[in-house]
Amino acid sequence: MATLDTSRPAAAELFAGLSLRTWKLVGLAAVLVAACILPFVISSYQLLLATQVIVYAVALLGLNILTGYNGQFSLGHGAFYAIGAYTTAILLDKTGIPYWATIPAAGMICLVMGFLFGLPALRLEGHYLALATFALAFAMPQLLKFKDFDFLTGGVQGIVITAPDPPAGLPIRADQWLYFFCLLWTVLLFLLGWNLLRGRTGRALVAIRDHPLAAATMGIDTARYKSFTFGVSAMYTGIAGALGALLAQFVSPDSFDLFLSIRFLVGIVVGGLASMGGVFFGAIFIEFVPNIADQLSKAAPQALYGGVLIACMYVMPSGVAGLVRGIGLRLKRWTAAGPP
Amino acid sequence: MQALLHQVLSGLANGGIYASVALALVMIYQSTHHVNFAQGEMATFSTYIAWQMINLGLPYWVAFLLTLVFAFVMGVAIERIIVRPFYKAPALSVVAVFIGLLLVINSLSGAIFDYTIKPFPSPFPTDAWYGSPYLSSHEVGMIFVTLVVLALVFAFFRFTPLGLAMRAAAENPVSSRLVGVRVGWMLALGWGLAGLIGAVAGMMTAPIVYLDPYMMFSVLLYGFAGALLGGIDNAWGAVLGGFIVGVLQNLAGAYLVGTELMVTVALVIIVGILVIKPAGLFGRTIVTRV
């Protein structure tokens, strides 16, 4: 496997004198710069939404690693989001741990939880896994409300936490600081994910998705990879949950119901399965579209989610990312052939 | 002891509902290997139709029968129009479509009939002779209706040519097509029957839990648990599994974890079965040839 040539032929292609790879890097840098300027030009309400978008993007990346790349289902990632959020909230509420240290803690706990849930999930495929995770998403709010855990979780009332202050000496508001804090985590996790998926591990995950039997024959330890992926995926979503808790300054059982998990599914389907950039489209979709649809009627957001899920499967199975890629390919062919 | 008996009996009554839902799930699973996540929502929507007809002044049993017709047509239509193109699609697309259906039908119920909780009449008078301290008359009636439905479904599959054709289409679509069975329509009929059975379950549940768009959510989960427990490819097993889950749920709720963690019981049952005995109690173990 190590001898496989993975260098992309695209690197040789030129577009306006620069290679495609360079263009991609330039584009990425531009997006990052724009992301850093953003909090100083938009209102604090818009900033709240923007922060929520990048938090969702992390959660969606977690789910996409599992579903898009590894082909394992989860209708229950809202549960891991909840575990992450509650870990941060409980640590902030009960202990003196600084807020930034609670994020890795939430990630670790979700990693372990995800790994443990992934172990039985190894034996489940397709619909069965969807079923088991569906039940998990269903049971989560109940477990969080359970009275014997009240001393930790605060029961139905949930836990109120205070937003972190910016470090002394930085001349920015608390919400701007939180945005940068989340952005930092997002960049870190995307780098980690990119590293994970582009190499040997990523190929193994995709191989398991496309043909588990062939993958096993090639010497890939499918069981280990699958439970490992479940853990990593849960870790991403858990960290997103922890960041989301800091952002909302409040956690309560009913905000982590089945529909949160379904939102995540809608997000990766709309954004594009097995696409890292696509999760941002997905995150923007699940953050803004229901808010707009909500003004029509109470039923509209859900109907829209459902309709979009079905429509995507009909006409756009690779999501927005696939659409963009398709347009890019067409453009490239057009430039290669020369303008007519 | 009396309390225990009461718990077991009312567990059986609930179990009848779960058994119906489990049977509806199995019906679709057997022919297409799809797990219909929208089953509960289809049932809820049909129950709303029944509620509307009863409110318009139709006698209960007329509304009941008309609702069954509606549910059947709805099931067939959903299969023909929405699910058919995904017959051979990968599991991910199928589950996504079913979840989409769940959301759409749920929001339709909410949009048309609004989200307020509505009482739903029971056809069984509370002071009927078959009521007892152990089991209310509605619960007795519920068990009776469930058993009648199950018997009818059994008779349909066992004794009618159409039932035979449907079994054949589920068992071996290719050969069935060769001998002239219209497999596509058989699948659609299966969906129609599943919708019909679900509608019965919905109309029997509604008097107990009251009618609202989320009524069947947890029922669906218990139905899943029942179907898995009995073996999702075995109709009788699924029915029995539904009854067992009903009793287990009541006993666990009364003596073990309290009513707050009922759904978690379903989670434990589902994950437990899938891990220990994925084929269920009566299901076929699938051996894949490598």
Side-chain angles (χ1 to χ4, degrees):
Chain A
M1 255 192 125
T3 55
L4 263 182
D5 179 24
T6 51
S7 66
R8 295 189 180 174
E13 281 167 36
L14 296 180
F15 193 73
L18 289 169
S19 76
L20 204 64
R21 198 186 151 79
T22 322
W23 274 110
K24 273 187 183 162
L25 282 178
V26 170
L28 215 57
V31 168
L32 257 183
V33 170
C36 289
I37 299 172
L38 195 69
F40 302 105
V41 292
I42 57 178
S43 73
S44 43
Y45 174 65
Q46 286 166 329
L47 186 62
L48 179 76
L49 297 181
T51 318
Q52 186 67 60
V53 165
I54 56 175
V55 168
Y56 276 150
V58 173
L60 292 181
L61 180 62
L63 182 57
N64 215 348
I65 289 175
L66 185 73
T67 306
Y69 287 93
N70 199 211
Q72 296 195 79
F73 255 102
S74 176
L75 295 175
H77 258 47
F80 295 115
Y81 192 84
I83 294 172
Y86 263 90
T87 307
T88 287
I90 291 170
L91 284 178
L92 284 179
D93 193 40
K94 303 284 177 208
T95 67
I97 295 177
Y99 69 93
W100 48 265
T102 65
I103 311 289
M108 280 302 121
I109 286 182
C110 283
L111 181 74
V112 175
M113 290 287 211
F115 186 78
L116 290 181
F117 197 83
L119 283 179
L122 280 178
R123 300 183 56 173
L124 314 179
E125 268 167 15
H127 292 89
Y128 288 115
L129 188 54
L131 251 174
T133 48
F134 184 80
L136 176 70
F138 221 109
M140 204 55 188
Q142 266 204 337
L143 280 172
L144 291 174
K145 276 184 219 165
F146 190 46
K147 59 178 183 312
D148 289 1
F149 302 152
D150 256 8
F151 69 99
L152 274 180
T153 60
V156 186
Q157 270 86 39
I159 306 170
V160 177
I161 49 185
T162 48
D165 291 323
L170 262 183
I172 53 174
R173 296 194 311 269
D175 58 340
Q176 288 167 334
W177 167 243
L178 192 58
Y179 171 84
F180 281 113
F181 184 69
C182 292
L183 187 66
L184 182 72
W185 274 101
T186 309
V187 171
L188 268 177
L189 288 170
F190 268 75
L191 277 177
L192 179 73
W194 182 65
N195 255 323
L196 191 76
L197 292 171
R198 77 187 167 128
R200 186 192 174 93
T201 314
R203 283 194 304 274
L205 296 190
V206 173
I208 291 171
R209 174 193 71 190
D210 290 341
H211 205 307
L213 203 61
T217 322
M218 296 284 287
I220 295 170
D221 187 347
T222 32
R224 210 184 53 175
Y225 270 108
K226 277 170 105 171
S227 42
F228 160 79
T229 313
F230 221 107
V232 170
S233 163
M235 180 191 83
Y236 270 77
T237 308
I239 290 178
L243 295 172
L246 287 180
L247 185 63
Q249 300 176 27
F250 175 60
V251 289
S252 77
D254 286 322
S255 42
F256 306 111
D257 59 357
L258 177 66
F259 286 103
L260 182 67
S261 301
I262 292 182
R263 272 178 113 175
F264 289 159
L265 177 75
V266 174
I268 60 164
V269 165
V270 169
L273 292 166
S275 154
M276 290 189 74
V279 297
F280 283 99
F281 295 113
I284 289 170
F285 184 88
I286 60 172
E287 174 63 26
F288 288 104
V289 172
N291 285 348
I292 299 166
D294 211 21
Q295 291 157 5
L296 290 173
S297 79
K298 193 187 165 193
Q302 257 190 57
L304 194 79
Y305 274 154
V308 163
L309 260 183
I310 298 175
C312 270
M313 285 300 141
Y314 266 105
V315 297
M316 201 168 74
S318 47
V320 174
L323 203 69
V324 171
R325 213 178 298 142
I327 293 171
L329 277 178
R330 204 157 292 176
L331 261 180
K332 210 192 291 174
R333 215 174 301 148
W334 184 70
T335 45
Chain B
M1 195 58 213
Q2 286 205 334
L4 180 71
L5 194 64
H6 172 73
Q7 291 296 345
V8 170
L9 286 176
S10 71
L12 279 178
N14 288 339
I17 301 296
Y18 306 153
S20 308
V21 174
L23 182 66
L25 291 167
V26 167
M27 197 153 292
I28 290 175
Y29 186 86
Q30 271 183 333
S31 50
T32 51
H33 284 239
H34 293 166
V35 175
N36 183 8
F37 284 94
Q39 189 71 60
E41 298 318 294
M42 286 162 62
T44 309
F45 193 75
S46 307
T47 311
Y48 269 111
I49 299 291
W51 176 84
Q52 186 67 53
M53 286 194 284
I54 292 169
N55 263 23
L56 289 176
L58 284 179
Y60 182 91
W61 291 108
V62 175
F64 185 89
L65 288 177
L66 285 177
T67 305
L68 294 193
V69 173
F70 170 82
F72 182 82
V73 173
M74 178 172 73
V76 171
I78 288 178
E79 203 281 339
R80 296 302 299 193
I81 298 166
I82 298 171
V83 181
R84 173 56 51 85
F86 299 97
Y87 182 46
K88 290 221 180 303
L92 175 68
S93 324
V94 177
V95 172
V97 168
F98 283 161
I99 295 288
L101 266 178
L102 181 154
L103 295 174
V104 169
I105 302 177
N106 179 273
S107 54
L108 270 182
S109 304
I112 300 175
F113 302 101
D114 84 52
Y115 289 89
T116 50
I117 294 169
K118 299 175 172 62
F120 190 86
S122 165
F124 311 105
T126 40
D127 51 354
W129 57 268
Y130 42 83
S132 71
Y134 294 118
L135 219 49
S136 73
S137 56
H138 178 75
E139 286 176 315
V140 175
M142 199 158 90
I143 295 178
F144 177 70
V145 169
T146 312
L147 291 179
V148 168
V149 169
L150 297 180
L152 285 178
V153 169
F154 173 76
F156 171 75
F157 277 107
R158 181 70 185 75
F159 299 116
T160 65
L162 189 60
L164 180 67
M166 284 180 67
R167 276 191 292 151
E171 189 75 27
N172 191 338
V174 179
S175 304
S176 313
R177 194 169 274 126
L178 285 175
V179 295
V181 174
R182 300 184 64 179
V183 173
W185 273 105
M186 294 306 129
L187 298 184
L189 285 184
W191 267 80
L193 276 182
L196 187 151
I197 298 169
V200 175
M203 285 185 281
M204 290 295 118
T205 317
I208 301 177
V209 299
Y210 295 105
L211 187 53
D212 83 303
Y214 303 101
M215 170 182 88
M216 292 298 273
F217 260 64
S218 49
V219 175
L220 178 72
L221 200 65
Y222 294 121
F224 278 144
L228 285 172
L229 183 64
I232 196 159
D233 50 7
N234 180 327
W236 286 110
V239 168
L240 197 62
F243 280 109
I244 296 175
V245 167
V247 174
L248 272 184
Q249 175 215 6
N250 255 26
L251 290 182
Y255 300 110
L256 213 60
V257 292
T259 48
E260 297 164 348
L261 284 184
M262 296 267 242
V263 175
T264 313
V265 173
L267 170 71
V268 171
I269 293 177
I270 290 178
V271 175
I273 298 162
L274 288 174
V275 171
I276 298 165
K277 199 163 178 353
L281 294 179
F282 310 100
R284 246 180 324 180
T285 311
I286 296 166
V287 183
T288 319
R289 186 169 170 172
V290 177

